[in-house]
Amino acid sequence: MTLVHLRSEWAPNVTRELLSGTVVALALIPEAIAFSIIAGVDPKVGLYASFCIAVVTAFAGGRPAMISAATGAMALVMVTLVREHGLGYLFAATILTGVFQLIASVLKLGNLMRFVSRSVVTGFVNALAILIFLAQMPELLGQGPNVYLMTAGGLAIIYGFPYLTKAVPSPLVTIVLLTAVSMYFGFGIRTVGDMGALPSELPWFALPQVPFTLETLQIILPYALTLAMVGLLESLMTAAIIDEMTDTTSDKNRECAGQGLANITAGFFGGMAGCAMIGQSVINVSSGGRGRLSTLWAGAFLLFLIVVLGPYVAQIPMAALVAVMIMVSINTFQWRSLQALLTHPKSSSFVMLGTVIVVVATHDLAKGVLFGVILSGLFFAHKVTQFFGVASTRDDTNAVRTYYVTGQIFFATAEAFHSAFDFREEDLKGVVIDLHASHFWDITSISALDRVVLKFRHHDIPVEIIGMNEATATMVERLATHDKEGAALAAGSGH
């Protein structure tokens, strides 16, 4: 690996990397505390997790500049485990989550992202933007005029400061200025310190305090599987979004491994399971972060902030961070997708809107994406069936009918394929099935071909199949029964 490549991957611009990582670190603190509260654990569990996961993924992850830490989606999965079994089981489940994610990397499950359509990704992004915005409302609504003024001032700085200079990220300027104003005037508004106590000591290595028994494994296994799936799904989707924002590519299987190593590390250092965060990743990229240094610095500086500068960090007004997160939601939302609703195919628009509705309604990213993927698959299957057809001609001299099959034969078209043949045609001496323009995909389609051939034979009409491509011929050889000795129709199938 050349020095030039290392520089481009780690720090294309050192100053921008450090500044963007600083903004992310500041924005991580209240979120990590909030997610700890959701999971029912001490704030330090989320903060330690954010430090460990960010630092490890900086080295091991497959997407430079992406931020991974404790997240709300993961915290929601942990609630019952923590309440019923305690913190030790959470740490054990976090380690097992990482192991499953490493296995996913070995199995190259990151390649499954190819099956997630653009409409699902757009719906996922828009739903997250809406959720990020809605998450700020409790910190804004009903909090008094000072909070409204501070938030409005923060947004004015965020969008106005770049016109003066882009040397320093405007969200960082916003946090510093609003903290100074709040401390000077003593507004008495809600601050980071009001969310929970910040830890004053470094995290340390420790084995989870649980019995190493089969019973423990049975308790944590379902939680770990769910956490692994949700974490990988959110991380891979976020990686795809950052790929598009930066016009670069990333290694999805390496990202699976990076998430796994990060969660194993977090579990051993008193942290909860986490994954990629689209909000903080957008902050990082919007502030100029492009390399791994911004991610590493975000994690390292986060630990420095909470352990060394805790009393000062506690003074940061939540209104400043609300302004930053509102900016993130605005920047994250794909505004062009609203215009595209009028121009894109209705099926694509329906998939995008369906993904948004399910994610926002359930606050479950996995359910929304799964719904979108299934819907995309159904629309695709329906679309493919439109290009299927069977035509035929009859040679009256030899009393032979030739059927010309076109298109894709699979579970959605197999019955239509079978129904296209006339098994009762009079005076027929032979049938030719021409498959030059078709392709058989699955066992359902091969079964339909078997039924067609055996039905004609049942009526003493010989059948010749011609034009099979190599893949179809292989499927027929492996799965078909009509060409095997003793093949016959099942009872009742000859009518």
Side-chain angles (χ1 to χ4, degrees), residues 26 74 114 133 137 150 231 286 295 342 344 381 422 455 466:
L26 290 166
M74 301 287 268
R114 293 178 298 180
F133 182 82
M137 293 303 100
M150 291 280 278
S286 300
T295 307
L342 303 175
H344 283 184
D422 182 0
K455 271 193 181 183
I466 63 173

Side-chain angles (χ1 to χ4, degrees), residues 71-74 76-77 116 120 123-124 127-128 131 225-235 237 275 354-375:
T71 65
M74 301 287 268
L76 287 169
V77 179
V116 180
V120 175
F124 175 85
L128 275 175
L131 290 179
L225 279 171
T226 305
L227 287 167
M229 183 189 73
V230 172
L232 287 182
L233 184 61
E234 189 165 351
S235 298
M237 294 290 282
C275 62
T355 304
V356 170
I357 291 168
V358 173
V359 172
V360 173
T362 64
H363 285 231
D364 190 323
L365 304 169
K367 285 179 183 174
V369 173
L370 185 63
F371 174 83
V373 168
I374 291 173
L375 207 56

Side-chain angles (χ1 to χ4, degrees), residues 195-354:
M195 296 192 66
L198 298 176
S200 58
E201 71 275 358
L202 295 171
W204 63 89
F205 180 90
L207 292 174
Q209 297 299 302
V210 296
F212 291 90
T213 62
L214 186 60
E215 184 184 358
T216 298
L217 180 63
Q218 289 174 333
I219 291 170
I220 66 173
L221 184 63
Y223 293 99
L225 279 171
T226 305
L227 287 167
M229 183 189 73
V230 172
L232 287 182
L233 184 61
E234 189 165 351
S235 298
L236 295 177
M237 294 290 282
T238 303
I241 294 159
I242 302 304
D243 287 353
E244 187 171 331
M245 288 181 68
T246 58
D247 196 24
T248 55
T249 59
S250 59
D251 186 337
K252 304 299 188 296
N253 290 311
R254 180 178 173 182
E255 187 57 46
C256 292
Q259 294 292 328
L261 289 171
N263 280 319
I264 290 171
T265 305
F268 280 122
F269 281 88
M272 57 200 262
C275 62
M277 306 180 76
I278 189 170
Q280 272 62 23
S281 298
V282 170
I283 290 176
N284 193 36
V285 172
S286 300
S287 301
R290 291 293 182 275
R292 296 180 181 276
L293 180 60
S294 57
T295 307
L296 175 62
W297 179 247
F301 192 58
L302 167 67
L303 189 64
F304 177 78
L305 284 172
I306 58 178
V307 174
V308 179
L309 301 181
Y312 300 99
V313 170
Q315 299 300 318
I316 296 175
M318 288 302 297
L321 297 167
V322 166
V324 172
M325 296 312 291
I326 289 175
M327 175 273 289
V328 168
S329 68
I330 293 170
N331 288 0
T332 302
F333 196 90
Q334 301 282 304
W335 298 99
R336 287 175 296 177
S337 65
L338 298 178
Q339 184 181 357
L341 289 174
L342 303 175
T343 57
H344 283 184
K346 289 180 181 177
S347 58
S348 297
S349 299
F350 195 78
V351 169
M352 190 273 283
L353 289 173

